[in-house]
Structures are given as structure tokens and as C-alpha cells.
Amino acid sequence: MGNFNGVLCVKRKQMGLMKNQALTDYEGIQTVEVENQCNFLRNSDLCICVVTWNMNGQASYEDLVKLIGNNRKFDLLVVGLQEVPRKTIAQLLQTALVETHVLFAEATMQSLQLYMFGLKNSESLIRELKVDQYSAGGFGGFIRRKKGAVAIRIDYKGIIMVYISCHLSAHARNVEERNSQCRHISRKIFSNNVNPYSRGAQITVWLGDLNYRINGITTHPTRNLIQNDLHHKLLTSKDQLLQEAKRGQIFDGYCEGSLTFKPTFKYNVGSSNYDTSHKVRVPSWTDRILFKIEDPDKINASLHCYKSIDDIYSSDHKPVKAHLCLTVNKESSPTGQKLLL
């Protein structure tokens, strides 16, 4: 799987990053702007919809339909779920997708679950499919708060991909614990069950409730910034995940869309109001989707959506969705390796 010290997900010129930016030892997480909505006219080799949601032990078929959305033209749908209730979520998702997609793979570890769906009649495009898991504690039984990661590795259309869905330790103070969990997951996932002679992943996607918080500002000033639609300008510098990546602790060389949506945690269940309990938690972007392209000369990634799904109210988290499209440079494909299009 490799470690976090990967190359940039796309070239700086392609990303349009600020010129004359001071170079440091660590790139951190690079912010990628969302491009125009993909029209699915085969100008990409692979279109992927990625969704993550902490369900807070609650589920309904109606919420899962909203989670997927109405546009079903994507090649792959990857759904990462945390704090999943004792229901057959796979069956509910399959019912919602019955007309367009089939279940390719599932990786489950009690309340931590990851599902991958592909277009109907495209199973022949799969060359490799593996799943793995890493436990980092927590309670996955009755309490449904298992911590760790589940993962799927797939060679689809000649593109090798790894998807890691995680649920890391809670609370603002546990930054180093979350950092350590990220590093352990990165080292352990697929370390034992992948052919050592096989090619490495060309794209790695991390999704889940990473549980990094807004730090260095109290709850009421944070909420005022959100209410005045200033969160994307003034709160991202307080985000622990971006801070730790900039320090080179985690996710160096990964990319993420702009955090233009409101922090996704913690809401009062059944509403769009932030926590009004005695804890009055600081709203935070706990739920994230990150990606890394190993060689930008071979694969280009474009992000066409990165948003929260705010009309789901059954959890104290809002789901997050990303739409990622990949284009392969045919000239740089390995000798004898044809894209299966």
C-alpha cells in the first residue's frame, strides 16, 4: 500500500496552486478546486462516487436513497459507513441501486463497513479484488463504535485502486492518537495479503470519520463564523487534520477538495442545529474524503463534487460526498497493460 510520503496527486501547474509558494519538507494536504460538473460523456476513463457517513446507530432506506443521490451514471460507488446499526445495510443499498449497479465487494468489521458497487454487467472488468481490516479498539457490538479501518483493493479497467474507510479516536485532545492510528493503518492494511510482485495502487482514497477537530477557537465564535458563511475562509486554518498534515505527521501528498461546506459534526439529531447539549461541542469537519495519485504523469484526477448532504437528519453527523474522475495517459500505461474500456 505504501506510506504517506507519496507524490502530489496532480502536478502543481495542473492544480493552479499559488506561484512562488515557499517549498517545505512536507507538502501536507493539497487543496483541489471542484471543476464543472462531470457530464459522463466518456471524457474520463473512470468516474467514481465516494460517500462517507457516521450513522450514529440509525438507518432508514429513505436516508440511504438520499445518500446515493439521483445521478446513477458513475462507474463505481464507494460507500463508507461508521457506527452502523444492526441492520442489513448491504441489502438496503442493493435495493436502492437494483436498476443500475451491483455489489462488487464489501469489507465489514462490526459497525465499521465499506461497500463498493459497479455498473451492471461490468464484473468482467475486475482483474483483482481483495479486502482487509485493521482494528484500533473501540466497541463494535452493542455500542456500535468500533475504531479502525476496513479496505478494498481492486484492479478495475486496468486501474489499481485502494479505498480505506476509517473511524478514528474521538475528542479534540487525542490528536497524536489519531495520527498514530493513521500511520498504523497505512502500514498494516494489505501488508500480508497482496502479491509482493504486483503493482502498487495507482490511486488511494481515504474516507471516514477521521475525528480531527477545529482547535484553538471556542464554540460560539466558531458558530458565528459558520452562520455568516465565513467558515471556509477563517476556520480551515484551525482544522487539526490540515495542521497535522502540514507538519508531516499524516497524509503528506494527499489531496482534498475545498472545505466550502459547513462542519459536519456535531448536530442535534433530527435537525440542522449544532449541539445544544451541556457539552456544546465545537463544530468540526470530522468527516472527510482524501485521495492520492501515485504518478500524475500516468493518471490525472479531476474532482467534480465535494459536499455535505445536509438534508439527512437521523445522525449527529452529516454525510460527505465526492465525485472523482480519472483519465489515464495511454502512452504511459505499463507495457502489455491495456485499459479495459
Side-chain angles (χ1 to χ4, degrees), residues 10 32 44 64 94 151 181 193 195 206 212 232 251 274 293:
V10 286
V32 180
S44 299
L64 293 175
Q94 285 175 294
Q181 289 171 346
N193 58 359
N195 185 337
W206 278 67
Y212 287 90
H232 59 290
F251 295 114
Y274 285 114
I293 301 295

Side-chain angles (χ1 to χ4, degrees), residues 172-220:
R173 63 182 181 272
N174 290 328
V175 177
E176 292 302 330
E177 185 174 342
R178 287 189 284 275
N179 291 350
S180 177
Q181 289 171 346
C182 283
R183 290 190 289 266
H184 279 89
I185 292 167
S186 182
R187 286 196 301 267
K188 296 294 185 180
I189 287 288
F190 294 120
S191 61
N192 297 322
N193 58 359
V194 172
N195 185 337
Y197 300 103
S198 65
R199 291 188 297 144
Q202 294 165 283
I203 176 171
T204 301
V205 180
W206 278 67
L207 58 147
D209 180 1
L210 278 69
N211 250 326
Y212 287 90
R213 307 301 176 95
I214 296 296
N215 196 33
I217 182 171
T218 57
T219 189
H220 295 298

Side-chain angles (χ1 to χ4, degrees), residues 282-301:
V282 178
S284 298
W285 286 292
T286 55
D287 310 277
R288 313 288 275 268
I289 300 172
L290 313 172
F291 65 95
K292 179 180 71 175
I293 301 295
E294 288 295 341
D295 190 343
D297 290 324
K298 295 181 179 179
I299 294 182
N300 180 64

Side-chain angles (χ1 to χ4, degrees), residues 219-236:
T219 189
H220 295 298
T222 298
R223 296 178 190 213
N224 287 337
L225 291 174
I226 296 169
Q227 185 175 1
N228 290 293
D229 197 28
L230 295 172
H231 49 276
H232 59 290
K233 296 180 180 179
L234 301 178
L235 279 183
T236 54

